[in-house]
Amino acid sequence: ETTTVFDPNQVPIVYPRVDQIHLSKDVPNFKAKSDPKTGVVKGERLEGDYSRLPDNPITVWRRLDGTLEVITGRHRLDLAKRNKLITVTAQIVDEAKGFTKDMALVFDAVANIRDGKGTIEDYAHFFRNTKSITEEKARQESLLSSSKGRSAWDIGRHASDDLYALFAAEKITAAQTLAIVNETHDPAVQRIGAKYAIEGKSSEFISNLLKASQSEASKSGSTMDLFGSDDSAMKEMEVRAARASSIQREIKDQIRSVQGAAKNPKAAEKLGVNVKDPQGILNKI
């Protein structure tokens, strides 16, 4: 029974009528910016002819009352409707066989994440609000195999409520948020990082500032709340962070020069690199 419900390889391909399939109110599109009436995300609408290939089915959830609701493949269903097709290629999972609302929500999100669809904001929202997915389970399901998936996990699971609210409202960028959560899960320290993110500081600067601040607070025996409110101390941390960021940029520039040694042998020579010595180039990097 479980295999029949959850293993796509065991769910047969069927061809339900297009006009009998509806959007689900219980399972809205995983992508936050989709049209509530069509399920289509602006700029992602499919064009052309609908493909009836059996390896490209939509997934339909049959409710207890027999109603059919699309839970993956909203864009394909929309294309089928605009092509005025009578039937659509689908796989049906049944609420009567134990396929619940929570399972449908996870199924939709997992399908999108595996296909690399959706934004980092979509992923983070899913991870934050789906506590049934553990990190181990997310890895098993290949949800963390991409940098977008890993970044979204860290943001969704480790950002404080205040920090996440700023990220969700697009007051700060994903890169800034990630820089903060990668340095600390402490809400007090995240507040300091958020302050600089709102001011428009780069993710590199924020990361360096939090490193310096936590190190200095630890040395002085201060809590980050008290340390963060010390303007003179924070000014010093800003100087350290700017200096560290500058050094890091210089190192990155040197690495790029060495990596492109063959294209710019003069620049490489200044760094002591022989373009005819591949192992020497690797050692220098």
Side-chain angles (χ1 to χ4, degrees), residues 45-284:
R45 191 173 90 156
L46 299 177
E47 301 294 346
D49 295 329
Y50 174 80
S51 172
R52 286 186 176 275
L53 293 176
D55 62 350
N56 192 38
I58 68 172
T59 305
V60 176
W61 186 27
R62 181 156 47 207
R63 307 303 301 271
L64 294 176
D65 63 2
T67 302
L68 299 178
E69 298 179 353
V70 59
I71 54 175
T72 69
R74 296 171 184 82
H75 289 79
R76 280 166 282 164
L77 179 62
D78 173 70
L79 180 62
K81 288 180 177 179
R82 285 186 282 111
N83 275 271
K84 300 187 182 335
L85 299 184
I86 296 174
T87 62
V88 65
T89 309
Q91 290 178 300
I92 296 180
V93 291
D94 289 281
E95 188 174 13
K97 292 182 179 180
F99 203 94
T100 66
K101 172 184 173 181
D102 285 345
M103 294 171 184
L105 288 165
V106 170
F107 190 89
D108 180 30
V110 167
N112 277 280
I113 293 174
R114 282 177 173 169
D115 290 343
K117 298 174 181 176
T119 64
I120 191 170
E121 290 81 8
D122 294 329
Y123 290 20
H125 179 76
F126 169 69
F127 288 137
R128 191 170 187 84
N129 293 285
T130 312
K131 301 303 182 183
S132 60
I133 295 285
T134 63
E135 186 168 6
E136 180 181 359
K137 181 66 173 176
R139 292 189 188 283
Q140 290 174 351
E141 295 287 352
S142 300
L143 305 184
L144 307 183
S145 57
S146 67
S147 60
K148 183 162 62 172
R150 292 190 298 273
S151 297
W153 176 271
D154 289 337
I155 291 172
R157 288 301 175 94
H158 302 310
S160 66
D161 289 343
D162 290 343
L163 180 63
Y164 189 82
L166 291 171
F167 163 74
E170 300 182 350
K171 298 291 181 62
I172 61 177
T173 68
Q176 290 172 319
T177 310
L178 188 62
I180 294 168
V181 299
N182 280 348
E183 291 303 330
T184 179
H185 298 170
D186 183 338
V189 186
Q190 289 189 0
R191 279 196 296 273
I192 294 173
K195 170 181 176 293
Y196 287 92
I198 292 172
E199 292 176 0
K201 298 296 185 182
S202 70
S203 55
E204 292 81 5
F205 177 92
I206 293 168
S207 177
N208 286 321
L209 182 130
L210 293 182
K211 280 188 174 75
S213 300
Q214 290 179 98
S215 175
E216 197 62 29
S218 177
K219 288 178 185 177
S220 65
S222 304
T223 66
M224 281 304 297
D225 274 328
L226 293 175
F227 186 84
S229 62
D230 185 337
D231 287 343
S232 61
M234 291 310 301
K235 289 294 183 185
E236 171 60 23
M237 296 309 103
E238 289 173 16
V239 171
R240 293 190 192 183
R243 186 162 61 243
S245 297
S246 175
I247 293 170
Q248 289 166 345
R249 284 194 297 273
E250 183 179 343
I251 292 171
K252 288 177 182 178
D253 288 343
Q254 290 177 347
I255 290 174
R256 282 193 290 269
S257 294
V258 177
Q259 287 174 329
K263 296 181 180 179
N264 196 343
K266 289 186 178 180
E269 186 178 351
K270 290 181 180 179
L271 295 171
V273 175
N274 181 356
V275 296
K276 297 180 180 180
D277 179 10
Q279 187 57 50
I281 292 175
L282 291 176
N283 292 341
K284 183 65 174 178

